[in-house]
Amino acid sequence: MASPAFRIDNLQYANWSRKIFEQMRAGGLDAVHVTIAYHETFRETVANMEKWNRWFEQHGDLIMPGRWASDVRRARETGRTAIFFGFQNPSPIEDDIGLVEVLHDLGARFMQLSYNNQSLLATGCYEREDPGITRMGKEVIREMNRVGLVIDMSHSADRSTFEAMEISTRPIAITHANPKAWAPALRNKSDDILRALAQSGGMLGFSLYPHHLKDGPNCTLASFCEMAARTAEIMGPAAIGIGSDLCQDQPDSVVEWMRVGRWSKSIDYGEGSADNPGFPPMPEWYRDNRDFGILRDGLLAAGFSASEADGILGENWLRFYETNFVPAKALAGDLAKAV
């Protein structure tokens, strides 16, 4: 009998604990891309990596570090979940392009070029004007392409996102967002962006964060999966996956850090409001990682074939990992064994 398809959630930012790691295993997740930096400096990001090293020691029966696509397979073989690191802001490289390679060597595999605001590299979706990719941004994109650090434009404004796709010689990702036509959140993406993303070989991860969903916490599984089917008509079923943006067990002080960081003395409510400043409740059908499998039922009901549904739930991300985590020279074959 054929082995079950691989399952990957390509974006989470939970308040990590053994309980959550056990739920990952209960949900059959072979890999999870976790955010380890929002506004952290390089040294603070390294401290977060040290924290993960302790968790890998303490919970090595459940999780393991992920560096390459082969680690997803090794995690499956050993009954664990491979953890891949990513940043939602370029702050960990500070203003030093040399840190791109250092952080890739330390295990980073995704980095957003901006998080809501203007960065040294690109413009975030909350800025009024979008001048596009900056001079430093162009250089950093080239360096990310060289070392195998994937460009993520989930929180970026439109012009910056288009330019990142044009400048990058390797596919980029939008790890956690939904179509703007379905849910007009500022963070969601236009059909033009989705079409260009697919044409350039990139990947979109559908977000389950309520502020990105039609009807918020009241969004239904059927509505979510019908949205996925419509997106497949635009991008093709091989260019889409899941990036749940699950923020399980986080206190509301964390969402304040995500939105405010150190850039403002006043409170910025981001996707929330003064009346609803904290984390929104999840849809009742998706409490945590244990519910990952219900997405397959919904996708099948929305008209996807079994192989297409399995692609969305992990196989598509795994193929993306295989060619985009390794240094560019590996594509020529001299480091192919790293895959």
Side-chain angles (χ1 to χ4, degrees):
M1 187 171 67
S3 300
F6 287 97
R7 289 185 172 183
I8 297 174
D9 185 344
N10 206 55
L11 198 287
Q12 291 189 23
Y13 184 56
N15 187 8
W16 307 107
S17 66
R18 186 171 181 86
K19 177 191 79 172
I20 292 177
F21 301 145
E22 289 173 342
Q23 290 172 350
M24 286 180 180
R25 300 308 312 133
L29 284 160
D30 300 296
V32 175
H33 159 213
V34 306
T35 293
I36 65 165
Y38 273 92
H39 308 285
E40 283 85 345
T41 63
F42 173 76
R43 187 62 188 87
E44 290 168 335
T45 300
V46 171
N48 287 341
M49 290 176 168
E50 290 178 21
K51 192 180 299 183
W52 271 102
N53 282 344
R54 300 297 173 269
W55 288 329
F56 291 136
E57 282 187 60
Q58 297 164 3
H59 309 292
D61 56 325
L62 300 173
I63 58 172
M64 58 170 276
R67 298 292 182 93
W68 317 108
S70 58
D71 290 324
V72 181
R73 299 184 178 88
R74 189 158 66 92
R76 162 71 66 85
E77 292 168 359
T78 56
R80 295 180 289 174
T81 301
I83 302 296
F84 293 87
F85 295 156
F87 313 145
Q88 294 218 30
N89 210 358
S91 58
I93 70 167
E94 300 177 3
D95 59 357
D96 184 351
I97 195 171
L99 294 181
V100 171
E101 185 169 22
V102 170
L103 287 162
H104 184 269
D105 287 345
L106 291 174
R109 291 297 178 265
F110 292 89
M111 184 174 77
Q112 288 188 183
L113 300 192
S114 56
Y115 183 81
N116 293 347
N117 293 353
Q118 178 73 44
S119 76
L120 287 174
L121 311 182
T123 306
C125 61
Y126 274 73
E127 296 286 1
R128 181 173 296 180
E129 302 295 333
D130 179 11
I133 301 298
T134 66
R135 295 175 67 212
M136 182 178 178
K138 293 174 183 177
E139 297 300 320
V140 168
I141 285 173
R142 293 188 186 98
E143 182 68 356
M144 292 174 72
N145 286 166
R146 184 183 74 84
V147 305
L149 185 57
V150 177
I151 296 154
D152 184 356
M153 301 301 282
S154 294
H155 282 255
S156 297
D158 288 0
R159 178 180 172 184
S160 289
T161 303
F162 281 120
E163 288 188 1
M165 287 187 271
E166 292 168 1
I167 296 165
S168 179
T169 58
R170 302 178 76 168
I172 75 163
I174 293 174
T175 59
H176 56 300
N178 296 321
K180 188 167 289 188
W182 178 66
L186 196 58
R187 264 262 290 105
N188 284 341
K189 304 303 179 184
S190 70
D191 286 359
D192 287 343
I193 285 178
L194 300 181
R195 195 171 291 110
L197 181 66
Q199 290 172 350
S200 63
M203 279 282 296
L204 170 71
F206 293 125
S207 171
L208 286 154
Y209 190 66
H211 285 316
H212 307 156
L213 300 176
K214 183 178 181 180
D215 301 320
N218 297 317
C219 179
T220 65
L221 175 62
S223 177
F224 181 83
C225 293
E226 287 164 8
M227 172 273 293
R230 179 190 172 279
T231 308
E233 293 174 357
I234 297 170
M235 301 184 66
I240 53 179
I242 301 297
S244 70
D245 207 4
L246 184 67
C247 297
Q248 184 182 348
D249 294 345
Q250 292 282 22
D252 286 345
S253 58
V254 167
V255 78
E256 182 177 316
W257 164 249
M258 291 158 58
R259 294 167 177 166
V260 175
R262 300 184 178 97
W263 66 271
S264 173
K265 292 183 178 180
S266 60
I267 297 299
D268 183 274
Y269 294 109
E271 295 166 315
S273 66
D275 295 331
N276 185 22
F279 283 108
M282 293 293 290
E284 62 180 15
W285 48 270
Y286 203 90
R287 304 158 298 166
D288 53 53
N289 289 285
R290 293 172 294 177
D291 293 327
F292 195 83
I294 199 174
L295 295 173
R296 191 174 193 272
D297 297 334
L299 292 170
L300 294 175
F304 288 99
S305 68
S307 62
E308 289 170 341
D310 289 337
I312 294 167
L313 295 186
E315 296 283 336
N316 295 342
W317 279 121
L318 182 58
R319 287 195 301 272
F320 187 87
Y321 288 6
E322 287 172 343
T323 56
N324 291 291
F325 285 173
V326 294
K329 60 182 178 179
L331 299 179
D334 58 335
L335 287 180
K337 62 183 180 180
V339 180

